[in-house]
Amino acid sequence: MKLAAQLYTIRQYTQNPEDIKVSLGKIKNIGYNAVQVSGFGKIDPHLLKEYIDEYELEICVTHTPFERIVEDTANVISEHKLWNCKYIGLGSMPSQYRNTKEGCDEFLRLILPAAEKIYDSGLKFMYHNHRFEFAKIDGALTAIEYMAEKTQPEKFGFLADFYWVQAGGASPEHFIKTYADRIDIVHFKDMAVADDKIIMAEIFEGNMDYDSIYAECLKNNVKWVAIEQDVCPADPFDSLKISFDNIKARNMF
């Protein structure tokens, strides 16, 4: 299992090529050897490849816009192959398809042909969850269960975000075991309470049981753990470093 930084965490510092290069250097200096590309501004794919190679980083997965995956599938595949990145991730289904069976059906109708092409190319489509997928949309089935029932594991993976799994009222450990054949990549993001509000926190600075979650990931052959924190108390690079140092202190990677 390998560790990466989810660069959505530092999205305000990746909106142009110059900032992307500087930010990748900072991530490398923290100690990360891999990243997830997400929330970037416009950059030529070949230039990004140059920066990644210069800092000896890997791209483990992306979050790629829904429209690009559906409408520009061939170019998306080519870019990922250029980056030696096996996984094409979608951050979320668009809002108009959420919370109803009919909306989920329409989302699957649109995304599955692209997922099929991605699979045929030797890559894999990954769907990243939030908490709304844990609402029931079809009798007893939640949206995440419904999508699993309607898709094939090898063509429709789950990029499990454990903060949102827990926020959806589900057990992260049970989620890993249930969908082990779909989960190659996960997001570690901790949950804490401040002023009676739930907030995101650095790993091992919150209340989630990441020792048990990590052990379950190992048992079920998860390949990548990406550290993410959508909202940070101060400098997001500092938050990524705190999580990195806390994880390394437990000899997890």
Side-chain angles (χ1 to χ4, degrees):
M1 204 156 62
K2 298 165 79 173
L3 186 65
Q6 206 317 33
L7 298 187
Y8 185 76
T9 308
I10 58 163
R11 58 198 176 276
Q12 62 266 50
Y13 300 101
T14 58
Q15 295 310 302
N16 60 65
E18 295 77 15
D19 286 351
I20 288 170
K21 184 174 184 181
V22 170
S23 295
L24 289 173
K26 289 182 177 181
I27 292 298
K28 181 69 175 185
N29 287 336
I30 290 171
Y32 291 98
N33 292 314
V35 296
Q36 175 177 349
V37 170
S38 175
F40 275 27
K42 190 172 182 181
I43 183 170
D44 181 273
H46 291 86
L47 183 58
L48 179 56
K49 169 69 170 167
E50 285 180 26
Y51 293 165
I52 289 292
D53 289 349
E54 179 177 342
Y55 290 115
E56 299 181 327
L57 292 164
E58 291 182 78
I59 299 176
C60 63
V61 65
T62 65
H63 274 172
T64 300
F66 174 76
E67 292 77 14
R68 285 211 67 212
I69 294 174
V70 170
E71 298 169 10
D72 197 21
T73 315
N75 283 327
V76 168
I77 289 169
S78 294
E79 290 166 8
H80 283 70
K81 289 192 171 184
L82 170 68
W83 300 329
N84 298 312
C85 176
K86 180 180 177 181
Y87 300 99
I88 298 173
L90 176 66
S92 180
M93 72 170 73
S95 59
Q96 64 266 34
Y97 306 124
R98 301 176 189 176
N99 302 319
T100 67
K101 176 181 173 296
E102 293 73 23
C104 196
D105 284 337
E106 181 63 9
F107 166 71
L108 292 174
R109 184 186 73 79
L110 294 168
I111 201 72
L112 287 181
E116 185 82 31
K117 290 175 188 173
I118 291 166
Y119 173 77
D120 289 343
S121 77
L123 306 182
K124 187 171 183 179
F125 172 76
M126 304 296 291
Y127 180 86
H128 170 268
N129 68 278
H130 290 83
R131 100 182 133 200
F132 71 83
E133 294 92 348
F134 294 88
K136 292 179 181 177
I137 62 166
D138 184 38
L141 291 182
T142 64
I144 203 84
E145 291 167 335
Y146 188 78
M147 286 191 287
E149 189 176 87
K150 298 290 183 180
T151 62
Q152 297 170 282
E154 66 274 15
K155 298 178 183 178
F156 197 98
F158 287 157
L159 201 175
D161 186 313
F162 295 129
Y163 175 96
W164 291 118
V165 171
Q166 183 144 317
S171 157
E173 295 93 330
H174 181 71
F175 191 81
I176 303 165
K177 286 185 277 192
T178 302
Y179 300 113
D181 56 351
R182 294 178 186 265
I183 299 176
D184 289 349
I185 308 165
V186 300
H187 281 173
F188 277 19
K189 181 193 307 176
D190 216 335
M191 181 184 292
V193 177
D195 299 323
D196 203 29
K197 294 179 182 176
I198 294 172
I199 62 168
M200 295 175 182
E202 294 81 6
I203 306 304
F204 294 113
E205 300 293 328
N207 298 315
M208 293 177 67
D209 183 3
Y210 269 105
D211 288 313
S212 297
I213 293 169
Y214 171 82
E216 205 60 52
C217 287
L218 276 181
K219 261 189 238 176
N220 289 280
N221 301 312
V222 170
K223 295 175 174 60
W224 286 99
V225 170
I227 304 303
E228 181 181 35
Q229 193 169 337
D230 306 23
V231 181
C232 303
D235 187 327
F237 291 98
D238 290 342
S239 286
L240 285 174
K241 186 177 189 308
I242 290 166
S243 289
F244 182 88
D245 290 345
N246 287 347
I247 285 169
K248 287 292 183 177
R250 285 169 166 77
N251 298 312
M252 285 183 160
F253 292 89

